[in-house]
Amino acid sequence: MALDDRKTTDFKFIGSRPDRPDGLDKVTGRAQFGADAHAPGMLHGAIVRSPHAHARIISIDTSKAEQLDGVKSVVTRADFAKDLSGEFSFVLENVMAGEKALYDGHAVAAVAASSALIARDAAKLVKVDYEILPHVTDVDAAMADDAPILNDTYADASVPSGLHPNVVRYHDSGHGDVDAGFASADLVIEDSFKTEATHQGYIEPHACLATLGNDGKGELWCTTQGHWIAQKTCAALVGIDTSQLRVTASEIGGGFGGKTTVFIEPVALALSRKANRPVKIVMNRSEVFRATGPTSSTSMDVKIGMMKDGTITAAQGIFRLQGGAFPGAPMEFSAMCAFAPYALENVKQIGYDVISNRPKQAAYRAPGAPMASFAVESVIDELCNKLGLDPIEVRLKNASREGTKASYGPRFQRIGLVETLEAAKAHPHYSAPLKPGQGRGVSCGFWFNHGGETSVSLALSEDGTCQISVGTPDIGGSRASMALMAAEVLGIDYENIRVTIADTATLGYNDVSHGSRVTYASGLATIKAAQDAVEKLCKRAAAKWGIPEDAVFWEDGCAKPSGANAGNFDPVPLAELTKDMGATGGPISGHFEATPEGAGVSFGTHIVDAEVDPETGKTAVVRYTVIQDAGKAIHPTYVEGQFQGGAAQGIGWALNEEYIYGEDGRLQNSIFLDYRVPVASDLPMIDTVIVEVPNPGHPYGVRGVGETGIVPPLAAIANAVSAAAGVRLRHLPMSPPRILRALVAQAHEG
Amino acid sequence: MKTIHVTTTVNGDTVEYLCDPRETMLDVLRDRLNLTGAKEGCGTGDCGACSVTVDDRLVCSCLMLGVEAEGKTITTVEGIADGENLHPLQKKFIEYAALQCGICTPGILVAAKSLLEKNPDPTESEVRYWLAGNLCRCTGYDKIIRAVMDTAADMREAS
């Protein structure tokens, strides 16, 4: 569905900033999140987790736990489906260990009891005998010849021969001749970079309430970014038909990609089937950190050649991503996003997916892109410094535009990178003076965005109001966007539209709320469903007037005859048509089911000022500006919120957040006190500029905005910190000890 | 397990309950009194999502035992509106979009209300440090800080 050229500016509702429809629920405590559900006769589940990073499970003795008063069921791997293959087999292995525990926190058994306290006591009574095996948690160490092998069957056909079995997937792409490109450069810089794993850090731990009878019929309430994928996966893992499991998505307390898979849901279903009672499981924070998706840690080498005038002649990147104990680290996204902001004749990128004894990585906002961007944009900054060039001018000179052959293959359609760079250059932040001890950094970032399978239903009520059922959980205000888009098409007030997140039994399949797809794809589907309803309304008006259907058109919420030849009739408003709909042909609703494929790619440019204390190595972010192309901001306030949230998470990733493993392979910082995400006093106000270069693949020009905002911060902050500290930081996070070490080392060298 | 009888005041109502001595105040609010507005984000007092006031002191209810509520006065997010009239902070949070997913919102509202009762004219730094115990992972805090500052200004004007 292409951009509607007639309608990209004169919007009545799009671009306004009304209160979100679920605002009252969220500020009064009325909203029902994952852990807020209760059911009659409900039991509480608790999971037994491995204390070892890598161990063979010799035996599991559940007898003592079963004897505890109040315990109703205990499950192990034997209680799940057999002979699964592909992704489902990895998910099951992660949900409940089979022969081996593969990381500290890996689930090995679970119990359900009449209270949460009894369940916790019972979990401690499950006795597991382990044979401890050698482990590896670092990505470079996991690729070394002598690294312990996690599984020698995981590597797929893409992996070149001679690599360690822990390298499970390989990616190689690019075009041109990089060697010739480097030879023609005035300056070539090659550097190595590392980033540590960070967690999505959503404030709501995973939670679910499950019922499964021995008739194979089940109900599941859970916090998820995608209840259809949860339905499909859970059904497969417990061995029932997909349609027999009805999944309702609770309100979701943050996800950022980390709630796109299942962890405890199949376990709750298995416990419920065995006990014949509803079972609720809520993770505690330590379980969230130890056993759900952090992002990958990385080791990267980037080489870029540049002419004295700033032209990039060639670029090459090697991206090694550690993704935990199972295949799936987003190394191909690292590789494909790394150089996407630049029009390059010679570019080459290689990715390695490496398994290690850590929890299975899960998507985290633009998975793979922020790390790659950190390495690439650091090298570009260094080249600019050495050649005495302005970092924004250099980026403008090389920027990808409409028609550019992207580093990952296809040619870009209309994109807004140049517009974000121009806006950055013109922004007062870029020319503001810095104080002593401060440094300024800029960086660009890219994310693909995604369409995905989408269904929306829209029903008109007799009083002329409207209800929309969408299948994408509202993770940050999307109900408001859907209502605005429907209001725009129907021409009725925003307040007269109620948006509901439908469950899996009441709407067609919907892909997950990920890939920055919701406002794009569910929005497009909402527009199409509303247009479907409008078509039916026009038919009713045509019948009422006794004129052909194509002689009626819709404007300002009314059916109108199209031109003088159609006849002279007064416009009929929507409410008048719906009032009689029972008598004029029955209920009127609109539907749309498809897989929209015009998700426009997105670019952003960030400017940041940082101040480094040379005594302690502590960094303060003193000013931050996000400039990003939204295509068209449906509800600008929530677009700004996405920009600000992405920047804040990026600041945490750049400066503080990391998974720290001990020699024993156990996670050492599994609570929010030790894994410290940015708090209000760590951050400045975050300025935003919304650039609007319409996406030709959406009727109103929308591009997804959720993910791009976390791509530039790592590099922008590293560039600012390196400028402020006078030494290049190549290992994230740039925590005070790491900065201090770099300062001390430089002082010794100097 | 032996349970203990507790009498306390929650959101203006006298309530009685029996609880296990190991249960936290948060467990009691959510599981025994069905007040699920306060959320458990960490269970270690680091995220603030379970913030309530106890005798006007701001407390992480996950760090307090249910039995400690005896004779106390507790206010949760469910108790900060006056009937159908929202507290000015609640209105401003909706108006400013000072929430995205909304899971931290109950705790932040309780904490912000507690701040404004003690300091009706806080600086931006004072708001940021007061709310430093309440994690929000969605907003970057910008809109939250603005909403609190603007509420404070409105409330000063109204009083």
Side-chain angles (χ1 to χ4, degrees), chain A residues 338-351:
Chain A
F339 302 108
Y342 305 110
L344 301 173
E345 284 181 15
N346 308 300
V347 59
K348 182 175 176 61
Q349 49 243 341
I350 292 169

Side-chain angles (χ1 to χ4, degrees), chain A residues 8-21 477-488 492-495 497 519 632-640 690 692 700, chain B residues 94-97:
Chain A
T8 49
T9 49
D10 59 335
F11 292 113
K12 189 172 175 198
F13 297 96
I14 302 301
S16 64
R17 302 171 185 250
D19 292 348
R20 62 194 279 168
S478 59
R479 286 180 181 93
S481 304
M482 300 308 134
L484 281 167
M485 284 184 260
E488 194 70 44
I492 62 173
D493 284 345
Y494 168 86
E495 288 75 18
I497 299 169
T519 311
K632 177 69 201 171
I634 300 297
H635 191 306
T637 311
Y638 284 97
V639 172
E640 291 161 6
I690 302 173
E692 293 185 325
Y700 297 162
Chain B
I94 299 175
E95 183 192 327
Y96 271 73

Side-chain angles (χ1 to χ4, degrees), chain B residues 133-147:
Chain B
N134 292 82
L135 301 182
C136 167
R137 192 64 162 167
C138 296
T139 63
Y141 304 104
D142 185 300
K143 294 185 193 304
I144 292 171
I145 303 299
R146 288 179 203 276

Side-chain angles (χ1 to χ4, degrees), chain A residues 135 180 223 329 369 376 638 740:
Chain A
H135 67 270
T223 174
V376 168
Y638 284 97
L740 208 52

Side-chain angles (χ1 to χ4, degrees), chain A residues 36 200 285 640 657 678, chain B residues 30 39 41 128 137 141 143:
Chain A
D36 298 339
Q200 296 82 348
R285 179 54 53 179
E640 291 161 6
E657 297 177 35
Chain B
R30 292 178 54 82
K39 307 298 179 190
R128 285 188 180 275
R137 192 64 162 167
Y141 304 104
K143 294 185 193 304

Side-chain angles (χ1 to χ4, degrees), chain A residues 665-702:
Chain A
R666 295 182 191 178
L667 184 63
Q668 297 192 325
N669 56 335
S670 69
I671 61 171
F672 270 136
L673 182 65
D674 301 321
Y675 182 95
R676 190 171 179 282
V677 306
V679 303
S681 55
D682 292 331
L683 300 178
M685 292 298 190
I686 297 168
D687 201 1
T688 56
V689 178
I690 302 173
V691 170
E692 293 185 325
V693 175
N695 165 27
H698 183 277
Y700 297 162
V702 168

Side-chain angles (χ1 to χ4, degrees), chain A residues 615-638:
Chain A
E615 300 288 315
T616 62
K618 184 185 184 299
T619 297
V621 173
V622 292
R623 188 169 181 181
Y624 205 108
T625 305
V626 179
I627 302 143
Q628 189 179 315
D629 178 17
K632 177 69 201 171
I634 300 297
H635 191 306
T637 311
Y638 284 97

